[in-house]
Amino acid sequence: LKFLIIKTPDSVFRILSFLTFLSASLLAWSNDGVFYVNGNHLVPVQETDISLTREVLSISLCDDGYAKVDVLYTLTNPGREKVVTMGFEAGAPYNDYDVPFSHQGIHPYISDFTVEMNGTPLAYMNAVVKSDYNTLCDFLPLDLSRWKSFGETKMRDGEDLPHDAMLYNTALDSLINFSYAYYFVARFVHGQNTVHHTYRYRMSMGVGRTFEVPYWLLPAMRWANRQIDDFTLRISTPSTAKHFFLSDSLFTQASFVITEGTGKIRQTKQWDENCTEIVLRNGTVEWHALGFQPKAEMTIQSAERLYYDHFILGTFYDRSDNYIPGSFVFEPDKTGHTRRILHNLPYAHRGYVFKDKKLQKYFSQFFWYMPDPAWQPSTADFTPREWKLINQEQ
């Protein structure tokens, strides 16, 4: 996602932008950078006035396949009042051919978008813009009568477009990446200002990952101070439990800390890369740093990617419908052992302490298992997928 900022006084424009990252089967959002408006093109520049004093990024991982995002910025304007236009840009869905292209610039997987400037709610507008997911580049104003999406046109040889996150121009025989932009007018007063936005976003998913949340931080270096003076990341799992990891390449200044609920943290590896593995149950994990100068991008990834070479039933478990614990779930000749493990997975995930010593020993081998002697067995919050496991349905 991109934040765009435009200075309007004296016809001088500046834009801050959240750079979009996109890869197979993924949606993504990203942090703020700065751009200069030249006609209808956005050219990356360094902001020389406004500093990013504080950022609190809160991401809630939910069982419905969505993440709830809450970002609170404190920005310092040392000069005179500025009227700016800010925008929020989100990458188009990739490999989702059932979603129609929105000529109005409304992203199909973002909802409940809100923005406040210094406590005042702001209205916003939508647009479609050309994007480049690998470089900071100029943006092309799009004539949507000429640029068509997947489903609206075919390639010259009659084949479908390579993927639906691109637009095709028949006359130019050219393809471009595009994004959906949300933009709004805001007023920066002298001194400190706050920008607060929230939205609901469908998490990425694909082969080997039940959920994945990419977030670009490097564009934050475009503010006048070239850092985030005070940065806090909070990841929460309200009313559920999640097992995930993050690469250590970004989080070198401090350690993750469980601040609420139940959770565990340990250092591990994904292939040859050092990672922080986290499990939370109705909890929050926090990372905080001063003078944060990100040198890499952030991705929250479901932990089954850490266990490609582990074929033990239950090594990774997630309550959402996106996760199916092995193709054997659909086999009609499941063994009694398999049926018993599947039946008890939802209970173990909530911390049930099994009286059966064999079951207790079995689940205790998994990092996500966190015994809770106080939990009284209840099926009130079981998901549809979990009911199928319990009832041994396909």
Side-chain angles (χ1 to χ4, degrees):
L1 297 172
K2 300 184 177 177
F3 250 67
L4 316 170
I5 294 185
I6 309 174
K7 283 202 279 187
T8 55
D10 304 319
S11 300
V12 179
F13 298 86
R14 291 257 192 267
I15 300 209
L16 358 147
S17 165
F18 276 100
L19 272 183
T20 306
F21 170 81
L22 193 63
S23 65
S25 302
L26 299 183
L27 299 173
W29 57 75
S30 37
N31 215 327
D32 44 335
V34 183
F35 290 79
Y36 169 73
V37 177
N38 180 10
N40 285 322
H41 289 70
L42 313 185
V43 182
V45 297
Q46 172 70 40
E47 168 61 41
T48 57
D49 298 323
I50 301 175
S51 296
L52 182 48
T53 306
R54 188 167 187 259
E55 176 181 349
V56 180
L57 170 61
S58 302
I59 301 174
S60 297
L61 308 176
C62 306
D63 283 333
D64 60 1
Y66 282 80
K68 294 180 180 178
V69 182
D70 185 302
V71 190
L72 178 61
Y73 294 97
T74 302
L75 303 108
T76 302
N77 174 23
R80 294 179 300 173
E81 182 177 284
K82 300 178 184 179
V83 176
V84 304
T85 297
M86 302 181 68
F88 189 93
E89 188 175 330
Y94 191 106
N95 286 352
D96 193 342
Y97 304 106
D98 295 327
V99 176
F101 169 67
S102 171
H103 287 259
Q104 292 74 40
I106 300 172
H107 199 289
Y109 295 137
I110 290 179
S111 60
D112 304 328
F113 176 78
T114 67
V115 61
E116 291 183 352
M117 179 75 175
N118 295 327
T120 300
L122 301 179
Y124 64 90
M125 296 166 284
N126 296 92
V128 177
V129 296
K130 178 194 173 189
S131 296
D132 189 308
Y133 304 117
N134 300 311
T135 61
L136 301 175
C137 66
D138 292 359
F139 288 76
L140 180 71
L142 297 179
D143 179 355
L144 295 182
S145 67
R146 300 176 63 200
W147 291 95
K148 302 295 184 180
S149 70
F150 180 89
E152 292 182 304
T153 188
K154 300 283 186 178
M155 296 290 284
R156 186 169 57 186
D157 59 5
E159 295 181 356
D160 292 336
L161 292 176
H163 58 76
D164 49 327
M166 303 187 79
L167 299 179
Y168 178 62
N169 188 310
T170 304
L172 299 177
D173 193 20
S174 178
L175 285 164
I176 59 171
N177 297 308
F178 75 94
S179 295
Y180 295 112
Y182 293 62
Y183 61 100
F184 46 92
V185 177
R187 185 180 298 274
F188 274 88
V189 299
H190 172 76
Q192 286 196 339
N193 296 261
T194 60
V195 175
H196 181 206
H197 62 84
T198 64
Y199 54 94
R200 186 169 174 264
Y201 167 86
R202 197 180 87 171
M203 291 185 285
S204 306
M205 58 177 293
V207 177
R209 55 191 183 275
T210 298
F211 59 87
E212 187 167 276
V213 181
Y215 198 99
W216 278 38
L217 291 167
L218 289 177
M221 301 292 286
R222 284 217 159 89
W223 291 101
N225 51 338
R226 303 198 181 204
Q227 67 178 21
I228 307 172
D229 291 345
D230 188 326
F231 177 73
T232 300
L233 169 66
R234 294 180 182 138
I235 305 172
S236 301
T237 59
S239 303
T240 188
K242 295 292 177 184
H243 185 190
F244 56 92
F245 73 98
L246 301 95
S247 169
D248 284 349
S249 60
L250 178 64
F251 303 102
T252 57
Q253 292 177 245
S255 299
F256 284 92
V257 177
I258 305 294
T259 57
E260 294 178 332
T262 303
K264 294 192 291 186
I265 301 172
R266 71 179 179 186
Q267 300 307 118
T268 186
K269 284 182 178 291
Q270 184 195 27
W271 297 298
D272 294 328
E273 184 178 16
N274 293 326
C275 302
T276 299
E277 185 178 5
I278 301 170
V279 58
L280 287 176
R281 185 166 61 233
N282 196 25
T284 301
V285 64
E286 186 171 303
W287 188 86
H288 178 251
L290 300 177
F292 181 44
Q293 296 178 330
K295 294 179 171 55
E297 310 300 0
M298 180 185 79
T299 305
I300 305 169
Q301 302 183 63
S302 54
E304 73 260 53
R305 299 196 70 179
L306 298 174
Y307 297 100
Y308 280 144
D309 57 347
H310 295 70
F311 299 102
I312 303 173
L313 176 60
T315 301
F316 171 82
Y317 180 72
D318 193 83
R319 299 181 190 179
S320 70
D321 282 352
N322 293 337
Y323 174 66
I324 301 173
S327 59
F328 47 78
V329 173
F330 297 99
E331 297 175 3
D333 58 344
K334 295 187 291 286
T335 66
H337 171 75
T338 298
R339 289 197 301 270
R340 195 174 186 217
I341 297 302
L342 292 174
H343 179 90
N344 285 286
L345 273 169
Y347 296 92
H349 206 235
R350 289 159 176 80
Y352 183 60
V353 179
F354 296 92
K355 296 181 177 61
D356 185 304
K357 292 183 179 180
K358 289 184 179 180
L359 278 175
Q360 186 64 26
K361 181 180 179 180
Y362 185 89
F363 288 113
S364 294
Q365 68 184 306
F366 304 134
F367 183 61
W368 58 259
Y369 179 63
M370 297 179 291
D372 180 7
W375 186 71
Q376 297 298 317
S378 169
T379 60
D381 65 345
F382 279 22
T383 67
R385 170 62 63 190
E386 289 181 313
W387 278 114
K388 290 183 178 181
L389 292 182
I390 291 172
N391 296 326
Q392 305 298 309
E393 297 177 2
Q394 294 186 6

